[in-house]
Amino acid sequence: MADSTAQQVMDIRAALSHALGAAENALAAAQDAYANAGERRERVVAAAIARRKKVAETLDGRLHEIDDRHRKDLAAFAEAAASAADRAAPGAAGDPWGDWQPTPLDTAAELRIGRLLLPHPEQVPALVPFLDHGHIVVRGERRPGDEVVAGLLLRALGTAAPGALTITGYDPEHLGGGLARFATLAPAGVLTFVGPGGLPGLLNELVDHVRRINETVLAGEYTSLRELAAATHRRPEPWRVAVLLGAGELSRPEQTQLQRLLRTGAAAGVHLIIQGLPVQAGPGIEFITAQDGDHAGMSSAGALPVRLDDGPPQAVVAAACRRIAEAVAAGPAPVALDSLLPQELWKESSATGLTAPLGDSPLGVPVTVTLSDYPPHALIAGPSGTGKTNLIYAWMGALAARYSPAELAFYLLDFKEGVSFARFAPGRRDPSWLPHVRLVGVNVNNDREFGLALLRFLGEELRRRADAAKRYEVTNLAELRAEDPEGQWPRIVAVVDEFQVLLAGRDAVTGEAADLLEDLARRGRSQGIHLILASQDVSGIEALWGRPALVAQFSLRLALPRARRVLPETNNAADSLPRYHAVVNADSGTPEANKIVRVPAAGDRDRWNALQHRLWRSRPRDQGPPRLFDGDARPRLADSPDFRRLGPAEGSPAPVVLLGDTIDVQSRSARTVLRRAPGRNLAVLGTRTEEACAVLATAGRSLAAQFPTDGARFSLLCLDQDAKQPAADLCAELPECGWYDADNADWLLEDAAAESSGAFPADRPHFLLIYAADALPGGKDAAGQLRTILRQGPERRIHVLGWWRGAGLLRDALGGHASRTDPIGAWVALDVHGSELAPYYPGAGAPAWYPRPWRALHFDRSVHRGAEVIIPYGQ
């Protein structure tokens, strides 16, 4: 039992020991697990802290990226908005007032009123569309609102061409004081005011204006003036801006008219700026809320705040308005020459007449001008500086582009001192010419004979056409061209600028010119010959107005600003014309036939040259340059077609002496033929040494060109020291030329006198060129020998070409006042008056001749009925 108990005790002790060991093991394991769990917890917490930190860092980085991208996007947006605003409002539309200047734009721009307040430092202008877009209503405080209105008006004025925008102000509260800073524009008609109570009339007038634009200008072809201007590159009507500065409540009719204007005005160029009137929102209406600081706004910007600009400084407004007013007073700038040109060149026929546009009417409609059987001729008048030459250029350009050189021929003559028509002929810098031009005369104010020559030429052409019409039994050019399609029958347009010079004198030139003009004006219409006479002032031309039958033929009248007498006294339409405008009247000036035309800028050389080169390149290959007569130029013998045709001929034809250029339409040389007949000598009379030497040099060179080297004999006797050098130069050029002076003159005279008295003619012609023949030494013997040579020499092929320094001195050489002048069959007078030439002139009279520099009077009794004016060839 004891064993059993002990055993049990041992077992229990063993069990307890075992349990204790197990518990200790479990405790150790638990402690280890606890330690491990603590470590894991620490790691988890550390990881969580690290993850939270990483997430925070990532979030911060992402937020930074978003903020950075937002800043960049906002900067790009602001920069793009500012750039777009600069493009939408260039120049005067958006420039700050500090450096603001008027800069007219081709198309309407948006106008700056301030800047948008964006969360970015970039300055973005706040712009409102106005001209060609809609209307503006200014609300809010009165003072900043007034500055907004002033800024809008000045920017609109600065972006439009002077005169292309007009302002009407209605300010019943301040009686125009709200627009006082623009008062400088009032005298020029750019700004007008409507008094209190005038609002109904103003609204009615603007509504009528819109109706007229729609009916007569747009005419269903265009929806707005903006569309018309884009299609045609011209704006026929100015913008009309009405500024309505408060009026209280509107009546029902006023509200109705105002709503009509708000709906339809912009398309017709009528725009409203309203301040102090209730206006409901609608299409095309911009609302501006005027407030100081950053509290302003505009309807197109939504809730975005706007900081308004300060109003324009008074000095800027005054300077701009003064400049605009001066430009408007001077008149609008002309439109381009291209507006007159057709799409295709030379597609028109001139059989029944010549029709071309001269410019646009105030409504933008082309004004055409016709030359035909009626009206046949034109009269143009305008004071200096009003654009007379420009009008002629424009008319010629429009005609030349429509009609080919086979259909139209121009003959141009300019009597004033200048070269207005020289551009139509080839020059040193520009070899082109207008293919239609056959004759150009410039600087002919001292050569009225050239105008007379042109009228004579046209008279001959009229007779030629009349004879052809008789052969074909027709009555006018259109019928003649139908019967003779292969003939050359272009319409002729003769333009004579400052034609009053031709008719200014009371002499034979004026009488014959008036007679020729009347005949051409009366009969030329049916044969396609048209006259365009232009003058600064036609009121004092007695030769013209004294012939009512002549004036009546010029039924087409073109009057430039302030032109006198070209229109009847009852027609004063030209008195108020602006620059670049003209009155076109095809019914002899009756007021009912007036048409106002705006003439393009045709005088610009670059624009004209572009047209002329285009026509010149299209010219027929056989179309040569026109004849150019320049009264200020000295012709050269080498350029004479007659001289270039001279050459040795077979047989023994009578030699021809060339003397100078004739003042004639055809380019020909004055000549005298030295036949074997009494009197075939030439005398040069006058004291101008240079001109006398030039005439003798021309004669000698032209004679030498007609003979081989040994075909003629030349002897040159020089008795004037001042003529020694040019005489020596000529002697060196002439073949087998003997030189004589005062020391050996008797040898020449004795030999030539003996040869002249011989029974047989000389074996070859002998030409004696005597310089200062009145200074012949040797007394009576030498004088007698010279008379023998003059009287008998020509029949024996001995001819004298002498220079006498006075008509009386020549008479002395011929034997005195009782002697005959027959030995001198031809003469050239320089500074000798016509009365001194009576002994050498047929009949009892004397030629009408008054000396002019580098002009001479030529007479050959064998061919001339009257003397002709010539221009000696220069050395």
Side-chain angles (χ1 to χ4, degrees):
M1 176 119 183
D3 291 336
S4 171
T5 301
Q7 185 63 41
Q8 290 178 349
V9 170
M10 291 180 62
D11 291 339
I12 291 170
R13 287 180 176 176
L16 289 173
S17 178
H18 179 75
L20 179 61
E24 290 177 350
N25 289 336
L27 176 61
Q31 289 176 341
D32 290 341
Y34 176 78
N36 291 334
E39 292 177 0
R40 285 197 303 271
R41 179 180 178 279
E42 290 177 358
R43 287 197 298 272
V44 169
V45 170
I49 293 173
R51 176 63 58 90
R52 188 180 298 113
K53 182 178 180 181
K54 184 175 182 180
V55 169
E57 291 176 351
T58 302
L59 178 61
D60 290 343
R62 188 61 177 162
L63 290 175
H64 181 74
E65 290 179 3
I66 292 173
D67 289 341
D68 188 55
R69 181 176 299 177
H70 174 72
R71 285 192 298 270
K72 290 181 179 179
D73 290 345
L74 184 60
F77 169 76
E79 184 178 354
S83 178
D86 290 339
R87 292 192 299 271
D95 285 345
W97 299 124
D99 54 358
W100 189 90
Q101 292 288 338
T103 52
L105 305 175
D106 294 334
T107 57
E110 298 184 37
L111 307 180
R112 172 179 172 138
I113 62 170
R115 65 184 181 90
L116 299 174
L117 296 179
L118 300 177
H120 191 273
E122 181 74 37
Q123 298 284 334
V124 179
L127 308 179
V128 293
F130 185 47
L131 299 180
D132 280 339
H133 286 84
H135 316 279
I136 296 176
V137 178
V138 180
R139 301 181 295 193
E141 299 177 4
R142 180 61 186 258
R143 188 198 60 78
D146 290 344
E147 299 300 322
V148 170
V149 172
L152 287 170
L153 289 178
L154 187 59
R155 292 191 184 279
L157 286 166
T159 57
L165 183 148
T166 62
I167 302 171
T168 302
Y170 177 67
D171 187 8
E173 291 187 17
H174 296 84
L175 300 179
L179 300 177
R181 66 184 79 184
F182 297 93
T184 312
L185 299 173
V190 179
L191 173 64
T192 57
F193 291 98
V194 175
L199 181 60
L202 172 60
L203 296 177
N204 291 337
E205 178 192 349
L206 294 176
V207 169
D208 286 342
H209 178 76
V210 171
R211 177 188 53 77
R212 181 182 64 82
I213 295 295
N214 286 324
E215 291 178 357
T216 62
V217 180
L218 302 179
E221 187 175 357
Y222 302 99
T223 61
S224 66
L225 289 178
R226 178 184 182 183
E227 182 181 323
L228 184 151
T232 63
H233 303 289
R234 57 182 175 83
R235 188 176 184 89
E237 289 283 341
W239 287 289
R240 296 193 62 177
V241 176
V243 184
L244 310 180
L245 300 180
E249 294 295 327
L250 300 180
S251 65
R252 185 178 297 275
E254 292 170 350
Q255 291 177 353
T256 301
Q257 295 293 67
L258 180 60
Q259 290 303 318
R260 286 174 176 167
L261 291 174
L262 292 172
R263 289 194 311 269
T264 64
V270 176
H271 302 276
L272 306 179
I273 295 179
I274 301 173
Q275 185 180 16
L277 287 177
V279 177
Q280 295 181 353
I285 304 176
E286 178 76 34
F287 289 86
I288 299 174
T289 302
Q291 299 287 343
D292 288 327
D294 299 342
H295 306 293
M298 49 191 289
S299 57
S300 59
L304 197 63
V306 175
R307 179 174 295 167
L308 297 175
D309 288 336
D310 292 333
Q314 180 56 34
V316 175
V317 177
C321 290
R322 183 171 56 252
R323 184 185 305 178
I324 293 170
E326 291 173 353
V328 171
V335 296
L337 175 63
D338 295 347
S339 64
L340 299 184
L341 306 182
Q343 293 183 348
E344 295 185 71
L345 298 178
W346 298 349
K347 294 299 182 181
E348 303 292 332
S349 170
S350 65
T352 58
L354 298 166
T355 300
L358 193 56
D360 286 351
S361 73
L363 299 180
V365 179
V367 176
T368 58
V369 180
T370 297
L371 289 173
S372 60
D373 288 353
Y374 191 88
H377 312 292
L379 199 59
I380 303 174
S384 178
T386 56
K388 176 166 53 66
T389 301
N390 180 75
L391 184 146
I392 294 173
Y393 287 166
W395 197 358
M396 289 181 58
L399 288 172
R402 282 166 174 78
Y403 301 94
S404 70
E407 299 285 336
L408 169 64
F410 284 119
Y411 291 81
L412 310 176
L413 196 58
D414 187 357
F415 273 102
K416 67 176 179 290
E417 293 184 8
V419 290
S420 298
F421 293 151
R423 64 173 60 185
F424 304 123
R428 287 175 296 180
R429 291 186 300 174
D430 186 356
S432 73
W433 66 86
L434 190 63
H436 307 72
V437 176
R438 310 297 170 82
L439 169 73
V440 176
V442 296
N443 293 316
V444 292
N445 52 305
N446 290 324
D447 292 303
R448 296 165 62 229
E449 296 85 359
F450 190 77
L452 191 60
L454 172 60
L455 297 180
R456 289 170 178 166
F457 171 83
L458 295 176
E460 291 294 332
E461 178 64 19
L462 176 59
R463 283 186 284 275
R464 185 179 77 90
R465 295 186 175 205
D467 291 342
K470 290 178 182 178
R471 290 197 306 272
Y472 286 99
E473 299 181 348
V474 296
T475 59
N476 57 44
L477 183 68
E479 295 174 353
L480 176 60
R481 290 181 52 164
E483 293 294 328
D484 183 23
E486 301 301 323
Q488 299 295 319
W489 307 112
R491 285 193 179 266
I492 292 175
V493 175
V495 183
V496 184
D497 197 6
E498 302 302 338
F499 74 98
Q500 77 279 358
V501 174
L502 179 60
L503 304 175
R506 296 186 178 182
D507 53 18
V509 173
T510 295
E512 184 179 355
D515 290 339
L516 289 170
L517 268 177
E518 186 167 354
D519 183 57
L520 285 168
R522 181 170 49 84
R523 298 194 298 129
R525 64 167 68 201
S526 60
Q527 302 304 333
I529 298 178
H530 307 282
L531 303 173
I532 298 177
L533 304 184
S535 175
Q536 292 186 20
D537 184 2
V538 300
S539 61
I541 305 175
E542 297 178 8
L544 183 64
W545 298 111
R547 295 175 179 247
L550 170 59
V551 177
Q553 302 300 324
F554 290 82
S555 53
L556 178 57
R557 309 288 178 85
L558 292 93
L560 291 153
R562 303 181 303 282
R564 298 178 56 196
R565 195 67 185 273
V566 67
L567 300 176
E569 294 182 359
T570 57
N571 189 348
N572 58 1
D575 294 346
S576 58
L577 282 179
R579 189 176 56 164
Y580 301 116
H581 285 66
V583 177
V584 177
N585 190 301
D587 195 13
S588 300
T590 58
E592 295 78 12
N594 285 347
K595 294 181 179 180
I596 307 299
V597 60
R598 185 183 182 192
V599 184
D604 182 83
R605 181 171 290 275
D606 292 336
R607 291 185 175 181
W608 178 266
N609 284 350
L611 172 61
Q612 179 163 301
H613 277 263
R614 183 182 172 194
L615 299 175
W616 181 65
R617 289 190 295 269
S618 302
R619 74 190 186 280
R621 292 299 103 187
D622 58 348
Q623 186 75 44
R627 149 91 155 130
L628 174 61
F629 176 86
D630 185 351
D632 283 353
R634 294 184 182 181
R636 297 175 63 251
L637 179 63
D639 297 332
S640 166
D642 290 332
F643 179 72
R644 290 196 294 265
R645 285 192 290 266
L646 293 179
E650 296 182 2
S652 300
V656 176
V657 178
L658 302 185
L659 303 170
D661 249 5
T662 59
I663 299 182
D664 195 8
V665 172
Q666 305 296 331
S667 181
R668 65 180 183 86
S669 300
R671 60 178 60 204
T672 285
V673 181
L674 300 183
R675 295 182 296 274
R676 288 180 56 190
R680 290 293 83 198
N681 301 300
L682 174 71
V684 180
L685 307 174
T687 61
R688 293 200 289 252
T689 302
E690 182 184 8
E691 296 176 26
C693 292
V695 173
L696 289 180
T698 297
R701 292 188 178 99
S702 59
L703 286 171
Q706 300 170 64
F707 296 96
T709 303
D710 57 352
R713 179 184 171 193
F714 293 89
S715 298
L716 195 150
L717 171 59
C718 182
L719 303 173
D720 187 306
Q721 187 64 29
D722 292 337
K724 184 175 181 180
Q725 187 58 52
D729 293 341
L730 175 63
C731 186
E733 292 184 39
L734 300 178
E736 295 191 26
C737 181
W739 173 266
Y740 300 89
D741 52 26
D743 295 333
N744 58 357
D746 54 335
W747 299 356
L748 173 63
L749 295 176
E750 290 176 4
D751 179 52
E755 196 172 5
S756 299
S757 302
F760 301 99
D763 57 346
R764 56 178 178 167
H766 184 189
F767 303 107
L768 280 70
L769 289 91
I770 305 178
Y771 289 71
D774 52 276
L776 198 67
K780 293 183 179 179
D781 292 339
Q785 292 169 344
L786 179 58
R787 284 194 290 272
T788 298
I789 299 170
L790 290 171
R791 290 169 180 164
Q792 302 178 28
E795 295 182 80
R796 290 164 178 78
R797 305 178 74 183
I798 302 171
H799 306 274
V800 173
L801 294 87
W803 165 36
W804 282 266
R805 293 172 292 188
L809 296 175
L810 172 60
R811 193 67 183 271
D812 293 341
L814 295 176
H817 290 283
S819 62
R820 296 177 61 86
T821 59
D822 295 353
I824 300 299
W827 48 263
V828 174
L830 301 173
D831 55 339
V832 178
H833 284 271
S835 58
E836 302 177 61
L837 299 170
Y840 313 99
Y841 203 65
W849 170 245
Y850 299 95
R852 307 198 298 268
W854 211 260
R855 296 293 185 271
L857 194 66
H858 171 227
F859 178 75
D860 188 334
R861 67 174 66 245
S862 67
V863 294
H864 289 160
R865 296 177 57 188
E868 65 176 353
V869 181
I870 67 172
I871 307 175
Y873 289 116
Q875 295 292 327

